[in-house]
Amino acid sequence: MTVISKKMCMLGDFGVGKTSLIRRFVERQFSDRYLSTVGVKISRKTVHLKDVQTEKEQELKLLIWDIEGHTKFKSISPAYLQGSSGVLVVADLTRQETIDHLGDRIQEYREINPHGQVAIALNKSDLLEEEEVLEMKNKLNLPEAILGVYNTSAKTGNNVDTIFQELAYKLWLTNC
Amino acid sequence: MSENSSPQNPKAEAEAKTESSPSSPQDPEQLEGLFNLMSDLQIALANSPNPSKQGNLTDKGKRKLPPPPPPPSLMKARGSRQEAAGKRQEEGGDREELEEFLQTSEDDDPTPLPPLPSALSELEVSAQEQLPLANPEDEGEIVEIQAETIAESPREQFPSAKKSSSLSAWLYGEEVEETEETVERLRLLLLDLLLEENLSANNSNQEAPSFNEATQRQIAKIDRKLHDPATLGKLIFPVFGELLRRKIAQSPQEVIEIFVPLIASIVEERGREDKAAMSKALAGVIPGALSKQIGDAPDEVIQAIAPAIGRSIKEQVRLDKDAMVDALYPVIGNTISKYMGEIIKSINKQVEDAFSLQGIYRKFRARIRGVSEAELILTQSVPFAVQAAFLIHKDSGLVIAEAQKADAQALEADMMAGMLTAIRSFASECVPQDGKTSELTEVDYESFQIVMEVAGYCYIATVTQGEPPAGFYTKLRNTLSAIILNYSYGELIDKYNGDPSMIPRAVYELLESLINNPIEEVKTKKKRRPFGVLAIALFLFIFVGIPWGFFTYRQQVAHGLERQVMAALLSNSELAFYRINAEAKRKTVILNGQVPSDRLRQQAENIAVSLAPSWQLRNEIVTVGLPTDPDRLRQEIQRQSLVFNQLPGVKITVRYDETKGNVIVEGGISQNENSEKIAETFEKIPGVNSVLLTLNERPVPSQERICFDRGGITIARQEINNKLLPLADYLKENPDLKLRIIGHVDNSGEAQLTEDLAPRRAVVVRQVLRNAGIASNRLETTKGDLQLPPGVTQNDPLWVNRCVRFEEVKMASTQAN
């Protein structure tokens, strides 16, 4: 069985936890230290997928491009987004403005990859009560065709594997 | 609390006496007791400004020192002794308070030292300064007062002493007895102090002002002393060391705690003050300390030193490069030699075939590429190899296909491809190319390169080692072209979806061939390139070489002819004097130069024609009146004069007057035609304007005629000197000449006067010549000629006839004539 490779990106404002999510997913680790990503960092993880209906199985190698976070002063290079099959747009539940920017990020990604799969991670959910998180989620007003919105926590690991797995699954099925 | 105290030590006691101290200095605890007492006093002093309290103090003053401040209040206090007595109870309470304070201070304060110095000095000062003041008179009073006070209030008379003892008791428990003596001493001391106070109290009524004044002075003095560090130091000095030692022995931890915060500052301060001394002090221990620490906690030492190592080495290199080289040489040398050993082997081989075709080719390449041959050898020595080749999707950075060398460590294709793609994006974004797209083609590391060839949707990245030969780039380009041309259809590559199974096997094979035969193309290239070079060489040879060779040949022929003509011109005696150039060009001989005459011009032309009959001749020789070279002119004149002097009968000297261009000829010639010839010849010489001939008519002695008087045969002296002697010389110069001597007589009948006058005249002349050394056989005399001598006519005077003349006769033809 051949391993399919897919490129996916992480997008979001600086400090929302993109690198932490990858670390949690790839290395099963978490650190409180904030390290700003410069340019881009690429991580790789192979996930095992199984189509419950067709019983088909597939190994999928995710090449995750951890792109430096958006700041007020600097937007990212669109070249990094080229050729990616999916994107995980991340926001920080404790910083409203990062949630407000989600729409912009999705738009930015879609401009380059119109058929790319988009999933949204509302990160740092461990810092809020569950009800608050739910409330925030409901308030979200996002464009259609979003794979899903997940409240994640790189610290606790909540939903991290799920969101990547879901995204990978979708990438495999749509094969774009 | 103080088991090791030794109050009975005699020495200690002695010291105690000198110090006026009630306790032995050997006993820190006792000292402490005293100090406490002192501090008690100090406190009392501190409280004393209160007038009412002061009154109390002075009243039972045996306890306290009189306070230095306001004398009036003091007086007042002393005056109200009764009143003060009434307050004794209160004072007692006061004392209790003090004792309590002392106790607490002892408990709380581990360093009761601070109050000590002032108290001590106070004591000492009072003891030293006041005692001498006391005169015998006073002494009596002292005793009296003492007795009185003791009697009066035995209980409260010596509160200090009591207090001291009570303190001692409190401090030392059972040892009270032993310290009694000390206490007594203190008591006496205090009494002394008190004495003055009492004196002032007693005298206050009568002579209060003066006494008070003295007291005040004393007090002020004491006060001053109290604040004088020198006195203070003097007081503490003898006991301080011991004090400290005891303290350390007793509770080292405490002392350590005291000093710990200071140690760093002390060391620092000392270091600042005298760096050399501090360095000296520490020098001995530092190496030991270091090695100990390295043994105990090497990591710490390493961490401490590590950051400085780089800079230390740098500095050392700056200071003494050679030492550093020497130090590192054994290590670096080995590493390098290991590597170099292998390279040198290969270089040896290269050098061996330096003269082979390959070597020549390399030299050629080195010249063309502008690098040294050694450099080229080195690059050839590190063999070029392709470690891996990846076909990478340009946008996503996904690996479409890969091939890696089997024996090498596998590279992380995905990560490398991703990062390379990111770098490419980054680089092209960072370097603005104003509209042009520019691709990253090479990433150079020290030991390897990543060489990339980029197409529209994908690129090949190869990891290579060694200098990539030109052929590799061709191969790379060809490989990518092949992939795109053959397998890029159906968006296989353009829209690569990450599934490697979709990629045809052939793509992998192409990549593998890139690894296995990275410079396959070079072989054909190699053949082609020399061919190209050869073609260029041939072209050059045909279109440049041959004409050039022909030209050179012709040049050589022409040069040869030129040389020939020139040699011929020079060998011609007349032309040799003029600078004539012969130039052979395009089948034409060109003569140029300047000659003075057309004849010479023609002559030169004839010579040239005779030498090069098949060539055309262009005679560009100009005939001009040359601005002659005076030296050459002079030479020519000299030469001509020599030529003329060769002629018989010609003897000339020629001068040349440079300013006028005149030739002046002087001398004699035998024949007139010669003079014409001479003039003509000299006039012909270029540069000569005119010839001035000053020639006389008797150039040859044999042409001379010897004259005689009428009928005489005597030769005048003048005739001998002027004519015959030169004639003799002339004959000597011309040994093949014979002379016929012919005598004449005039036609006036002279012959009749004397017989045979004519022959006799000839004999006389012959005799003179013989005398002059001419052989007689060369002198032939005749019988005389009666005819007139030649050239003489009848009209000439007679004396012209009376002569002897000569005829030259060649030796061989003596019979001529």
Side-chain angles (χ1 to χ4, degrees):
Chain A
M1 186 177 61
T2 54
V3 181
I4 294 175
S5 303
K6 291 287 180 194
K7 171 182 174 178
M8 62 163 289
C9 299
M10 305 289 287
L11 269 186
D13 288 1
F14 74 95
V16 293
K18 297 180 291 297
T19 308
S20 291
L21 283 173
I22 294 171
R23 266 198 101 189
R24 166 59 71 187
F25 176 58
V26 177
E27 298 168 33
R28 328 301 301 170
Q29 277 180 354
F30 176 78
S31 163
D32 266 327
R33 287 173 59 200
Y34 175 64
L35 288 171
S36 181
T37 305
V38 178
V40 64
K41 182 181 177 294
I42 298 169
S43 306
R44 173 186 54 181
K45 175 142 177 161
T46 306
V47 291
H48 188 82
L49 301 169
K50 187 171 179 184
D51 190 341
V52 280
Q53 291 164 359
T54 59
E55 293 287 314
K56 226 171 97 182
E57 288 184 41
Q58 178 65 51
E59 293 273 313
L60 189 124
K61 197 192 305 173
L62 276 179
L63 287 155
I64 309 163
W65 287 46
D66 180 11
I67 297 163
E68 63 186 341
H70 283 263
T71 66
K72 220 181 281 179
F73 313 102
K74 185 171 180 274
S75 73
I76 58 138
S77 156
Y80 294 142
L81 298 175
Q82 281 173 359
S84 82
S85 307
V87 67
L88 191 58
V89 188
V90 188
D92 179 350
L93 275 171
T94 64
R95 280 154 65 207
Q96 181 60 42
E97 79 274 11
T98 66
I99 300 172
D100 297 341
H101 289 155
L102 281 173
D104 295 343
R105 303 284 159 268
I106 296 166
Q107 175 67 22
E108 199 173 342
Y109 177 76
R110 278 278 158 78
E111 271 172 23
I112 292 162
N113 298 292
H115 305 296
Q117 299 297 317
V118 180
I120 289 172
L122 302 174
N123 199 24
K124 308 192 187 175
S125 64
D126 57 292
L127 295 176
L128 295 179
E129 295 302 322
E130 215 164 311
E131 302 85 60
E132 286 179 284
V133 175
L134 268 176
E135 198 185 324
M136 298 277 253
K137 243 167 129 175
N138 292 334
K139 273 201 290 183
L140 274 180
N141 178 23
L142 292 170
E144 67 305 334
I146 299 293
L147 193 59
V149 180
Y150 297 80
N151 50 313
T152 60
S153 167
K155 189 171 185 176
T156 63
N158 177 33
N159 270 342
V160 174
D161 282 1
T162 319
I163 196 167
F164 278 105
Q165 200 81 24
E166 278 294 318
L167 195 55
Y169 185 69
K170 203 73 186 172
L171 296 184
W172 173 40
L173 286 191
T174 56
N175 194 19
C176 63
Chain B
M1 197 169 169
S2 64
E3 266 81 27
N4 46 0
S5 62
S6 55
Q8 280 147 332
N9 187 333
K11 189 190 167 205
E13 278 193 89
E15 276 182 36
K17 273 175 203 157
T18 54
E19 293 303 313
S20 310
S21 169
S23 64
S24 155
Q26 299 294 329
D27 186 344
E29 296 311 323
Q30 283 186 0
L31 272 173
E32 212 162 75
L34 171 65
F35 300 153
N36 288 335
L37 178 63
M38 294 308 148
S39 59
D40 191 359
L41 290 170
Q42 182 72 10
I43 287 156
L45 276 173
N47 291 338
S48 61
N50 183 346
S52 66
K53 202 162 190 180
Q54 214 165 25
N56 284 340
L57 292 173
T58 40
D59 190 31
K60 348 169 244 122
K62 294 131 203 173
R63 249 194 92 210
K64 316 285 180 196
L65 273 171
S73 62
L74 196 76
M75 281 166 65
K76 184 185 161 196
R78 279 174 188 144
S80 55
R81 193 171 164 166
Q82 204 56 42
E83 186 190 321
K87 287 179 184 172
R88 271 171 200 167
Q89 199 53 43
E90 188 190 322
E91 176 58 28
D94 225 324
R95 201 172 65 217
E96 267 164 31
E97 267 175 36
L98 278 167
E99 280 185 5
E100 210 174 285
F101 168 79
L102 276 171
Q103 196 163 350
T104 51
S105 76
E106 169 68 15
D107 287 344
D108 293 343
D109 188 6
T111 55
L113 293 176
L116 162 88
S118 56
L120 264 178
S121 81
E122 200 175 348
L123 255 187
E124 191 196 49
V125 166
S126 55
Q128 283 178 351
E129 309 252 330
Q130 288 188 326
L131 281 176
L133 270 179
N135 48 39
E137 250 178 56
D138 294 338
E139 240 168 60
E141 272 189 302
I142 292 167
V143 178
E144 197 184 295
I145 290 158
Q146 203 175 331
E148 186 190 46
T149 45
I150 290 164
E152 241 178 48
S153 51
R155 219 178 137 254
E156 303 201 3
Q157 196 68 22
F158 305 113
S160 302
K162 273 186 184 168
K163 183 180 159 119
S164 174
S165 63
S166 75
L167 267 173
S168 299
W170 168 68
L171 286 167
Y172 312 122
E174 295 127 24
E175 287 180 26
V176 174
E177 300 257 314
E178 291 167 13
T179 56
E180 248 171 27
E181 199 183 318
T182 349
V183 171
E184 180 60 22
R185 209 166 282 131
L186 178 67
R187 189 182 63 85
L188 286 173
L189 179 71
L190 290 173
L191 272 176
D192 286 347
L193 293 174
L194 204 60
L195 163 73
E196 196 155 82
E197 203 176 308
N198 280 345
L199 267 177
S200 69
N202 284 350
N203 297 341
S204 61
N205 292 332
Q206 298 99 14
E207 28 184 334
S210 65
F211 186 78
N212 273 346
E213 226 169 88
T215 317
Q216 276 165 31
R217 263 203 314 276
Q218 279 304 323
I219 289 165
K221 207 169 181 180
I222 291 165
D223 192 35
R224 259 202 322 280
K225 292 277 179 184
L226 200 64
H227 292 90
D228 177 15
T231 323
L232 219 57
K234 205 157 82 188
L235 188 63
I236 299 174
F237 177 70
V239 289
F240 188 72
E242 187 54 32
L243 204 61
L244 207 58
R245 204 176 305 133
R246 293 265 170 160
K247 186 71 187 164
I248 291 167
Q250 197 182 26
S251 49
Q253 192 54 41
E254 245 175 65
V255 181
I256 287 168
E257 272 170 24
I258 293 163
F259 281 108
V260 156
L262 299 174
I263 291 276
S265 337
I266 289 170
V267 172
E268 194 182 334
E269 183 61 33
R270 178 68 182 144
R272 201 178 304 138
E273 223 169 63
D274 189 351
K275 216 170 208 165
M278 197 67 188
S279 307
K280 203 173 160 189
L282 289 176
V285 287
I286 283 184
L290 262 180
S291 52
K292 174 93 173 72
Q293 184 66 3
I294 288 168
D296 291 352
D299 289 350
E300 269 176 40
V301 180
I302 287 164
Q303 269 175 12
I305 296 176
I309 288 216
R311 270 188 291 165
S312 310
I313 291 175
K314 236 184 241 170
E315 182 63 12
Q316 173 61 21
V317 168
R318 196 180 66 76
L319 289 176
D320 187 356
K321 207 180 269 171
D322 293 343
M324 204 64 200
V325 170
D326 265 12
L328 289 177
Y329 181 76
V331 189
I332 289 182
N334 279 342
T335 319
I336 290 177
S337 65
K338 213 174 189 181
Y339 177 70
M340 288 307 282
E342 288 161 24
I343 285 187
I344 281 170
K345 253 186 227 165
S346 138
I347 288 176
N348 274 342
K349 198 176 159 291
Q350 303 266 4
V351 171
E352 272 166 24
D353 61 28
F355 294 103
S356 67
L357 202 63
Q358 203 185 349
I360 292 160
Y361 173 59
R362 187 172 50 240
K363 275 184 212 294
F364 189 60
R365 259 180 66 191
R367 195 53 70 79
I368 284 174
R369 291 173 58 177
V371 296
S372 76
E373 202 189 344
E375 213 174 308
L376 208 63
I377 286 179
L378 209 64
T379 57
Q380 286 183 0
S381 306
V382 180
F384 174 73
V386 180
Q387 210 183 334
F390 308 108
L391 183 65
I392 300 168
H393 191 245
K394 206 169 160 186
D395 281 350
S396 64
L398 295 176
V399 178
I400 301 170
E402 63 170 305
Q404 298 208 24
K405 223 173 194 166
D407 53 350
Q409 198 186 354
L411 295 166
E412 294 258 24
D414 298 317
M415 305 301 281
M416 221 186 90
M419 284 320 294
L420 262 183
T421 311
I423 290 167
R424 288 169 43 74
S425 313
F426 176 74
S428 59
E429 198 144 302
C430 283
V431 187
Q433 292 286 324
D434 34 282
K436 285 181 276 178
T437 51
S438 185
E439 300 290 359
L440 181 72
T441 57
E442 212 162 298
V443 181
D444 237 339
Y445 290 82
E446 253 171 24
S447 56
F448 68 95
Q449 304 87 28
I450 299 173
V451 182
M452 282 165 279
E453 186 65 37
V454 187
Y457 296 107
C458 60
Y459 64 95
I460 295 180
T462 54
V463 182
T464 65
Q465 275 173 325
E467 173 86 355
F472 172 67
Y473 294 101
T474 320
K475 170 95 179 179
L476 193 58
R477 216 167 296 135
N478 291 348
T479 307
L480 189 59
S481 306
I483 291 172
I484 292 163
L485 287 175
N486 298 320
Y487 309 108
S488 187
Y489 50 82
E491 299 180 330
L492 190 62
I493 286 172
D494 176 9
K495 301 269 189 246
Y496 176 63
N497 63 2
D499 187 353
S501 59
M502 306 287 284
I503 302 300
R505 182 72 215 144
V507 174
Y508 291 92
E509 279 162 10
L510 276 168
L511 289 180
E512 267 158 25
S513 105
L514 205 52
I515 290 173
N516 298 330
N517 305 303
I519 42 175
E520 182 193 30
E521 300 290 317
V522 169
K523 281 179 184 169
T524 55
K525 192 100 207 263
K526 255 185 178 172
K527 275 178 193 166
R528 204 176 293 148
R529 195 194 276 176
F531 177 74
V533 172
L534 273 178
I536 291 169
L538 195 68
F539 176 84
L540 287 176
F541 178 71
I542 291 169
F543 290 96
V544 178
I546 291 178
W548 182 74
F550 182 67
F551 174 75
T552 314
Y553 169 74
R554 277 182 47 165
Q555 282 279 70
Q556 276 188 349
V557 170
H559 277 306
L561 187 65
E562 275 169 19
R563 275 196 299 274
Q564 255 182 306
V565 173
M566 295 281 276
L569 290 174
L570 277 175
S571 62
N572 182 289
S573 58
E574 278 181 293
L575 292 169
F577 295 97
Y578 309 104
R579 196 171 287 159
I580 301 172
N581 259 323
E583 200 181 339
K585 227 193 238 178
R586 291 177 201 154
K587 290 303 264 178
T588 310
V589 176
I590 301 162
L591 294 176
N592 53 41
Q594 291 174 333
V595 288
S597 66
D598 279 336
R599 186 181 57 83
L600 288 173
R601 186 173 176 272
Q602 193 56 46
Q603 201 173 341
E605 188 178 320
N606 292 345
I607 291 168
V609 167
S610 70
L611 283 169
S614 63
W615 292 55
Q616 285 190 336
L617 191 108
R618 204 156 84 219
N619 193 347
E620 288 178 2
I621 294 170
V622 202
T623 51
V624 284
L626 287 174
T628 43
D629 178 1
D631 285 336
R632 183 171 291 186
L633 187 64
R634 216 164 304 200
Q635 276 176 15
E636 175 66 10
I637 289 165
Q638 207 56 44
R639 191 181 69 87
Q640 291 294 357
S641 74
L642 278 174
V643 169
F644 283 117
N645 276 326
Q646 297 289 312
L647 294 174
V650 178
K651 189 159 190 181
I652 52 170
T653 56
V654 185
R655 285 189 297 118
Y656 175 61
D657 184 352
E658 219 170 290
T659 50
K660 291 174 185 168
N662 288 345
V663 171
I664 301 143
V665 183
E666 288 168 328
I669 48 170
S670 55
Q671 289 153 330
N672 269 338
E673 60 265 35
N674 273 350
S675 75
E676 267 173 43
K677 201 173 169 188
I678 286 167
E680 219 171 88
T681 306
F682 283 113
E683 269 168 0
K684 263 200 222 165
I685 293 172
V688 174
N689 293 336
S690 61
V691 177
L692 203 68
L693 289 175
T694 47
L695 298 170
N696 57 44
E697 287 297 316
R698 306 174 306 181
V700 179
S702 59
Q703 299 295 313
E704 298 289 344
R705 295 180 183 183
I706 313 296
C707 297
F708 290 89
D709 291 335
R710 183 176 160 84
I713 54 165
T714 315
I715 308 166
R717 188 79 234 158
Q718 196 183 336
E719 292 282 279
I720 292 170
N721 287 341
N722 287 348
K723 296 172 182 171
L724 286 177
L725 290 180
L727 179 64
D729 289 340
Y730 174 71
L731 286 170
K732 280 174 191 164
E733 280 167 23
N734 302 284
D736 55 339
L737 266 185
K738 270 191 160 188
L739 216 56
R740 182 175 294 148
I741 306 166
I742 302 153
H744 285 272
V745 290
D746 64 23
N747 51 4
S748 65
E750 200 185 18
Q752 283 80 38
L753 287 175
T754 314
E755 201 179 341
D756 296 332
L757 190 58
R760 280 172 67 192
R761 280 178 175 166
V763 168
V764 171
V765 168
R766 191 177 76 151
Q767 193 54 48
V768 173
L769 288 173
R770 281 182 63 184
N771 288 347
I774 305 299
S776 55
N777 63 339
R778 296 178 63 195
L779 305 168
E780 180 189 322
T781 49
T782 59
K783 58 179 180 1
D785 194 345
L786 295 179
Q787 299 299 313
L788 288 174
V792 178
T793 60
Q794 291 289 338
N795 301 325
D796 285 325
L798 286 175
W799 65 266
V800 180
N801 296 344
R802 294 191 300 263
C803 69
V804 167
R805 63 179 174 95
F806 306 97
E807 275 179 15
E808 286 181 15
V809 183
K810 295 278 178 205
M811 276 290 221
S813 56
T814 24
Q815 293 306 313
N817 230 359

